[in-house]
Every structure is written in C-alpha cells, then in structure tokens.
Amino acid sequence: MDLIPSFSVDHTAIVPGLFTSRTDKVGDAVITTYDIRLTKPNREPAVDVAAMHSLEHIIATFLRNDPDWKDEIIYWGPMGCLTGFYLILKGDRTPREIYDLILRAFQSVEETQSVPGTTPENCGHYLMHNLGMAKWYAAKFADYLVANSDRSEIFEYPKAERLVTDDGQHFYDS
C-alpha cells in the first residue's frame, strides 16, 4: 500500500507554518490541500480541543466570507492530531501565496466576540468551545508567522527518509 503524502513528512522536523500537503487534478480543476501547522508535532502540546473547535468555526466563517477568497474555499478543518488544520482550495498556489489570507484569518480571531455556529442546531458538540484559548492560540500563531515570514522552513515540508530493504520493502513510522 502506498504511503499517503502527509505520512511522508518528517514529523520530528516540521515546524509551525503553511505547507502544501497535496495537489490533485479533478476533471479540469486543480485542488490543493494545505497543512496549516500551529504547533511542532510530538514536541509541543497539541492545541486544546475546545480551542481547536472554536478556531475551526471562527476561521471557517472568516474564510467563507472573505470577498477575495470565498469562491476558492472548499474546506477548513482540524487535523486529528490537533497540531493544525487542513485548508483545501481551488487552484494551485504556493504556501507563500496564501500567507496573507491565513495571517488575516488568525488575526481576525482577536476581534471575535462570540464563536459562530454554537447552537445545538448548528454544531454537533456546541458546548465544547473555548473562545479565550482560541484567541490565545490564534495570536501566538499570527505573531509566529509575522516573526518568521522570511524563513523558508515555514513554507517547505521537511521530507522523511524511509528505509528500503534490498528487496524493495519500505518501512514506515506510522
């Protein structure tokens, strides 16, 4: 079985940042999945689950209402490991080309007075939100992006080296 692209990334070397996870051709369209990584996997604590849920709601709402990007947004959602989010967009842009959008999205969290879509009718776990912690994580990540915008490491995945035996068998860490 082929290793999926996100498992070919060396998670011991990745830093917070914006990365292209995969690019797919669907008919005539190009769809790109981005890894928006907030914390260092396996080295920093994962994002608090209630804060992650709030960030999902707030940033999804921001992205789907941005006049320049709303028609390009396909999906915004959390990673199961709680170290970041996946963003799926129409088209094929580099992580640097989405930098301003992501920075604005995380900066907008500070101005949020309430988490959108937090009623029983709108959300499957409407009580599991933490706006205060969401603001803290968003500010921390936005400040990090600004401070590190000139570092290629926040835009380029580190690649994992995989052991291949003489007979071609691959060993994976996941």
Side-chain angles (χ1 to χ4, degrees), residues 86-156:
Y86 287 114
L87 171 64
I88 303 175
L89 294 176
K90 297 174 188 174
D92 183 17
R93 294 168 190 84
T94 68
R96 288 182 192 273
E97 290 175 295
I98 67 164
Y99 171 87
D100 287 334
L101 173 67
I102 298 303
L103 180 59
R104 285 188 301 108
F106 277 86
Q107 288 173 332
S108 78
V109 175
E110 181 59 35
E111 301 161 14
T112 302
Q113 298 301 312
S114 62
V115 180
T118 56
T119 67
E121 296 81 14
N122 300 130
C123 179
H125 199 349
Y126 76 101
L127 294 176
M128 187 186 69
H129 287 279
N130 187 330
L131 179 57
M133 284 303 297
K135 288 183 177 199
W136 183 84
Y137 282 107
K140 181 180 175 193
F141 186 60
D143 290 347
Y144 172 87
L145 288 178
V146 169
N148 292 281
S149 64
D150 60 342
R151 293 183 53 224
S152 62
E153 296 85 18
I154 75 162
F155 298 108
E156 299 169 13

Side-chain angles (χ1 to χ4, degrees), residues 46-55 82 125 128-130 137:
V47 177
D48 171 78
V49 69
M52 191 76 154
H53 192 199
S54 295
L55 287 170
L82 301 175
H125 199 349
M128 187 186 69
H129 287 279
N130 187 330
Y137 282 107

Side-chain angles (χ1 to χ4, degrees), residues 1-9 160 162 170-174:
M1 191 174 302
D2 291 336
L3 192 65
I4 63 172
S6 63
F7 291 159
S8 68
V9 177
R162 303 290 179 205
H170 293 259
F171 286 87
Y172 304 114
D173 61 2
S174 298

Side-chain angles (χ1 to χ4, degrees), residues 11 34-38 52 75 77-86 157:
H11 284 71
Y34 300 91
D35 171 338
I36 312 301
R37 191 69 63 148
L38 277 62
M52 191 76 154
Y75 174 77
M79 296 178 176
C81 62
L82 301 175
T83 63
F85 292 88
Y86 287 114
Y157 265 150

